[in-house]
Amino acid sequence: MALLPIRTYPDPVLSQLCQPVEAVERHLVELAESMAETMYAAPGIGLAAPQVGELLNLVVIDTSRGEERGTPLFLFNPRIMEASGETVFEEGCLSVPDYTSDVVRSERVVVEAMDREGRPITLEAGGLTAICLQHELDHLVGRLFLDRISPLRRALYRKRRLKQLKKAGE
Ligand code: NI
């Protein structure tokens, strides 16, 4: 397995709608395994398929800490079925370099998906896992956490990012 290149803002692949997975086939599980490896190497707590250029409804997450890390959750066709409460957390994203911002999200979510065996699963999550799930599922509809902050702050980041990319290209 090899690490996959992570697409970064403003790559247009990050703002597109992903397609559902029809069946959890072997090559999709292999993609998820490479995504997990890429996520751990970064390091990050979640990665969505469009972040590696694949427009598929697939996310991998692992919000555990320390020695418990290493058992990623693969979620195919994940959907939020219920959401409640409100929480604010300072988010970052592997596709949004050098930036974090407070984001308002639901405090608890119930997510339905298929696991790596193609079996339907239901997850009830709170805390960091609930935030991570919402963040990753946003990626599947082409939404970044930048789309959930004020237009002014987003514009300032965009300006800084484009300048950074221009400098890197010189
Ligand atoms: Ni992200």
Side-chain angles (χ1 to χ4, degrees), residues 21-25 29 57-58 71-79 111-123:
V21 168
E22 280 185 30
V24 180
E25 290 165 7
V29 175
N57 282 345
L58 162 63
T71 311
L73 207 52
F74 296 174
L75 301 175
F76 295 90
N77 297 343
R79 283 191 304 162
V111 169
E112 285 185 4
M114 284 190 293
D115 69 7
R116 69 178 75 203
E117 317 288 346
R119 291 175 304 215
I121 52 165
T122 303
L123 285 170

Side-chain angles (χ1 to χ4, degrees), residues 51 92-94 135-136 139:
Q51 293 182 273
C93 178
L94 296 174
H135 176 116
E136 299 311 328
H139 276 296

Side-chain angles (χ1 to χ4, degrees), residues 1-38:
M1 270 187 292
L3 297 184
L4 304 168
I6 297 178
R7 306 295 190 92
T8 56
Y9 181 84
D11 190 320
V13 78
L14 296 171
S15 48
Q16 290 176 42
L17 199 59
C18 291
Q19 295 300 312
V21 168
E22 280 185 30
V24 180
E25 290 165 7
R26 184 65 220 161
H27 73 278
L28 295 176
V29 175
E30 282 167 6
L31 169 65
E33 282 167 353
S34 297
M35 284 170 57
E37 197 185 351
T38 304

